[in-house]
């Protein structure tokens, strides 16, 4: 299988695959029967993404399945933590000893239209205007990765997630947190670039 990037570390195997038309994605071979109903109305590209993730998993853990509990993916048998993400033509999987969240986003200036949905004004002071789309894409992606660790317990990317100031030349230890009035869970995010995409990794 044509692996595109390997971002694995001491705790997790983290793989990215770029779709190749020559690669066969057999739904009968790859999709878990438990998920047949879930994907029946998926757009063909989204279904390809789902199958790409399953093929990545088979290369790592051939006897495991990806199942869902209230939209949260988990491995069966549950002998490791998992996170998945896709944005055609890319799909990625992380299998880890600890909770992990990964996310992939394409850089797009249209993100500037929605920054009020996921950031406060006081989060924006460090962002240079000439690189604003890149900074906001990273912030969105880091928050999405943290969200996957907490699996919807904290639903608002604006109210419950914070990304501390960072620079584009220092993207491997971005301070971030999930919080409410009684609780704060601190993380360090790692951000990687390839093609026109941003890929973020947040590990417990």
């Amino acid at each position: 299988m044509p692996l595109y990037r390997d971002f694995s570390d001491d705790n997790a195997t983290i793989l990215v695959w770029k779709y190749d038309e020559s690669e066969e994605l057999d739904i009968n071979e790859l999709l878990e029967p438990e998920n047949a109903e879930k994907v029946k109305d998926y757009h063909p590209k989204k279904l390809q993404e789902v199958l790409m993730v399953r093929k990545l998993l088979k290369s790592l853990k051939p006897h495991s399945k990806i199942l869902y509990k209230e939209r949260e993916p988990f491995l069966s048998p549950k002998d490791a933590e998992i996170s998945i993400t896709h944005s055609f033509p890319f799909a990625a999987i992380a299998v880890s000893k600890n909770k992990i969240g990964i996310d992939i986003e394409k850089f797009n200036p249209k993100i500037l239209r929605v920054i009020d949905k996921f950031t406060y004004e006081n989060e924006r002071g460090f962002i240079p205007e000439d690189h604003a789309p890149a900074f906001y894409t990273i912030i969105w992606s880091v928050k999405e990765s943290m969200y996957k660790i907490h699996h919807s317990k904290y639903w608002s990317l604006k109210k419950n997630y914070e990304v501390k100031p960072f620079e584009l030349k220092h993207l491997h230890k971005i301070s971030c947190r999930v919080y409410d009035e009684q609780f704060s869970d601190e993380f360090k995010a790692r951000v990687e670039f390839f093609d026109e995409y941003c890929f973020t990794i947040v590990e417990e």
Side-chain angles (χ1 to χ4, degrees):
M1 190 177 75
L3 187 64
Y4 189 75
R5 290 285 190 277
D6 185 338
F7 295 119
S8 303
D9 58 29
D10 291 342
N11 293 317
T13 301
I14 306 165
L15 305 178
V16 181
W17 179 22
K18 186 175 183 180
Y19 179 67
D20 181 342
E21 290 184 0
S22 67
E23 189 78 19
E24 185 178 354
L25 295 171
D26 184 342
I27 189 170
N28 296 312
E29 175 191 338
L30 296 172
L31 187 70
E32 306 86 356
E34 295 92 334
N35 292 322
E37 187 69 18
K38 179 182 174 66
V39 306
K40 69 176 185 177
D41 297 322
Y42 277 14
H43 184 279
K45 279 189 177 177
K46 186 171 183 182
L47 181 59
Q48 284 176 326
E49 293 168 351
V50 168
L51 297 179
M52 288 162 66
V53 166
R54 269 62 185 177
K55 196 146 191 177
L56 282 167
L57 178 64
K58 283 195 177 295
S59 72
L60 297 172
K61 298 174 76 65
H63 303 297
S64 294
K65 297 179 180 181
I66 298 175
L67 301 179
Y68 295 86
K69 180 181 180 182
E70 297 175 357
R71 298 179 61 191
E72 173 190 343
F74 66 91
L75 279 180
S76 177
K78 199 173 187 319
D79 55 0
E81 299 292 339
I82 189 173
S83 184
I84 60 179
T85 185
H86 34 72
S87 178
F88 196 84
F90 293 102
I93 190 169
V95 177
S96 177
K97 295 184 260 185
N98 306 317
K99 288 274 190 184
I100 187 167
I102 60 172
D103 184 69
I104 185 170
E105 301 289 340
K106 188 171 186 178
F107 289 110
N108 189 331
K110 289 181 180 178
I111 197 169
L112 298 180
R113 300 177 189 173
V114 297
I115 60 174
D116 285 335
K117 294 183 182 297
F118 65 95
T119 62
Y120 284 114
E121 223 174 289
N122 61 7
E123 285 185 277
R124 305 172 197 159
F126 71 97
I127 297 175
E129 195 173 327
D130 55 339
H131 292 296
F135 274 84
Y136 284 115
T137 302
I138 291 167
I139 290 170
W140 172 271
S141 192
V142 169
K143 289 188 176 188
E144 283 283 340
S145 292
M146 287 192 286
Y147 177 88
K148 291 178 180 180
I149 289 179
H150 281 274
H151 297 301
S152 308
K153 181 178 180 182
Y154 297 98
W155 60 269
S156 171
L157 294 187
K158 184 171 181 173
K159 293 179 180 178
N160 300 116
Y161 296 80
E162 180 185 15
V163 179
K164 303 290 178 64
F166 61 89
E167 299 177 7
L168 291 181
K169 60 184 178 182
H170 298 298
L171 292 174
H172 278 195
K173 288 187 177 180
I174 297 176
S175 295
C176 50
R177 67 175 181 142
V178 184
Y179 69 98
D180 62 15
E181 292 81 3
Q182 289 86 35
F183 166 88
S184 181
D185 201 358
E186 310 277 339
F187 298 99
K188 295 289 186 185
R190 173 161 55 122
V191 179
E192 306 283 354
F193 295 162
F194 50 81
D195 289 15
E196 298 174 359
Y197 287 80
C198 161
F199 184 68
T200 63
I201 303 158
V202 176
E203 300 181 68
E204 274 194 337

